[in-house]
Amino acid sequence: RPFKKKTTHENADQRFIKGKNKESKQKADRSSAAKVKQLKLQASDFEDIKHRAQREQIKPLKISGTIAEGTIAILQDVSFCYGEDAHGNSLPVFRGLNARLESQDRILLAGPNGSGKSTLLQLILQELEPTEGTVMYRGQVVYFPQNALSELCSTHGTASALSFLGDSVTETAGRQHLGEFGIKGDVALRSIQSLSAGQCVRLCLAKQLLHVSAPSVLVMDETSENLDVETRHSLSDILNHFVGTVIVVSHDQDFCMAFKPTQIWNLHPNGLCIEHTA
């Protein structure tokens, strides 16, 4: 009868010793977790490299502004109403606004939804008439309204970026101008509805800056939503380096933090509270 060797911890298969199976599993789990973590770090590094490469390929936005002499706008006891209620009473958006806008003011216009921020911008730029009070305004403006992208796509969606510039612009001049805004090559011939949000922002600015080469006022109303990283960075740089008057409306906290206002205008139904930050 052959001699049966006694199983010991030294010569046994480690997988079948009580407690060792659990230890092996834990080591395997830790190894897998480490590999997953390493892959995530590699993916993050790849995204950073990708974004850096895109920023190098996409031309940064630039707007050369000018400093206007004197006061840009004055609002005196300005009220605005939309229609009337069932009793014939006016429906006010806001009442009795008083404010002054100087040539190098940098304004963050804040307030809850429906408080009339976009309406106030239109009053300042004299696109609307106040129900009461007076508005004085002077200046060359580049204005990006809140509905700019939706209106662009609904009205000109099937047109090309190049044709959007107008018939008075030759193809050579149009392509060169669009190229300055990062709309290059075949992208200039694609339909507007096929462009990204960032490309549409660039197109809107390109169209305006055909006619206002050196604006003294820059107004951005909720421009930063749904944009690519590169265009968001470019807009932040524009806002911080534009030499004239800047007014920004945004609910994007990151975008607001990148902007450095000299004043915060808090709009509410009973008036305008102005906070000086610089």
Side-chain angles (χ1 to χ4, degrees):
R1 186 176 175 181
F3 174 79
K4 185 175 180 180
K5 187 176 180 181
K6 184 179 180 180
T7 301
T8 67
H9 284 286
E10 286 75 22
N11 61 21
D13 187 335
Q14 298 294 307
R15 293 172 299 173
F16 300 104
I17 296 177
K18 188 176 181 180
K20 289 293 182 180
N21 189 34
K22 182 178 180 181
E23 183 181 346
S24 298
K25 185 177 182 301
Q26 288 174 338
K27 286 182 178 179
D29 289 344
R30 284 196 295 271
S31 177
S32 298
K35 288 180 181 178
V36 170
K37 185 177 180 180
Q38 184 179 9
L39 288 172
K40 286 182 178 179
L41 288 172
Q42 290 174 347
S44 178
D45 290 342
F46 175 78
E47 285 299 313
D48 288 342
I49 293 170
K50 176 183 173 183
H51 288 313
R52 283 199 298 272
Q54 287 176 332
R55 281 197 289 274
E56 291 172 358
Q57 293 172 1
I58 300 176
K59 189 177 182 67
L61 285 168
K62 292 183 180 179
I63 298 178
S64 298
T66 58
I67 302 174
E69 294 184 4
T71 301
I72 296 295
I74 299 174
L75 286 75
Q76 293 181 322
D77 298 320
V78 171
S79 299
F80 189 81
C81 301
Y82 276 120
E84 299 178 341
D85 62 16
H87 303 289
N89 299 315
S90 297
L91 297 171
V93 180
F94 41 68
R95 294 186 185 278
L97 300 190
N98 291 282
R100 197 177 184 93
L101 193 63
E102 302 296 344
S103 61
Q104 288 184 283
D105 281 341
R106 307 172 58 75
I107 309 298
L108 177 61
L109 180 54
N113 288 333
S115 60
K117 297 185 293 296
S118 296
T119 300
L120 177 55
L121 293 179
Q122 290 176 290
L123 286 168
I124 291 173
L125 300 176
Q126 297 188 324
E127 293 189 355
L128 289 175
E129 292 287 333
T131 306
E132 297 177 358
T134 59
V135 178
M136 183 283 287
Y137 171 79
R138 53 182 290 276
Q140 294 289 316
V141 66
V142 166
Y143 174 35
F144 201 98
Q146 189 175 25
N147 61 349
L149 296 189
S150 59
E151 187 174 316
L152 175 66
C153 290
S154 63
T155 307
H156 305 280
T158 57
S160 69
L162 185 60
S163 65
F164 178 67
L165 295 182
D167 296 334
S168 62
V169 183
T170 66
E171 180 174 348
T172 300
R175 281 179 172 275
Q176 183 177 354
H177 183 70
L178 289 173
E180 292 297 314
F181 292 82
I183 301 175
K184 302 177 181 179
D186 293 339
V187 178
L189 302 178
R190 284 168 44 189
S191 67
I192 290 172
Q193 62 192 7
S194 71
L195 302 180
S196 68
Q199 289 168 328
C200 286
V201 167
R202 291 167 178 270
L203 177 59
C204 288
L205 292 175
K207 175 69 175 285
Q208 290 198 56
L209 288 163
L210 263 179
H211 309 290
V212 184
S213 58
S216 56
V217 182
L218 178 61
V219 179
M220 297 283 181
D221 188 359
E222 297 288 5
T223 312
S224 63
E225 293 187 7
N226 303 317
L227 298 185
D228 56 87
V229 174
E230 291 71 34
T231 302
R232 284 170 62 91
H233 284 323
S234 286
L235 284 176
S236 294
D237 288 342
I238 286 172
L239 293 176
N240 287 323
H241 294 98
F242 187 77
V243 296
T245 305
V246 181
I247 308 177
V248 172
V249 178
S250 180
H251 290 97
D252 185 328
Q253 292 298 319
D254 292 335
F255 194 69
C256 289
M257 287 180 67
F259 178 52
K260 300 175 179 61
T262 59
Q263 298 178 38
I264 299 175
W265 289 10
N266 288 294
L267 183 62
H268 53 85
N270 296 318
L272 187 65
C273 179
I274 298 177
E275 174 188 347
H276 293 266
T277 61

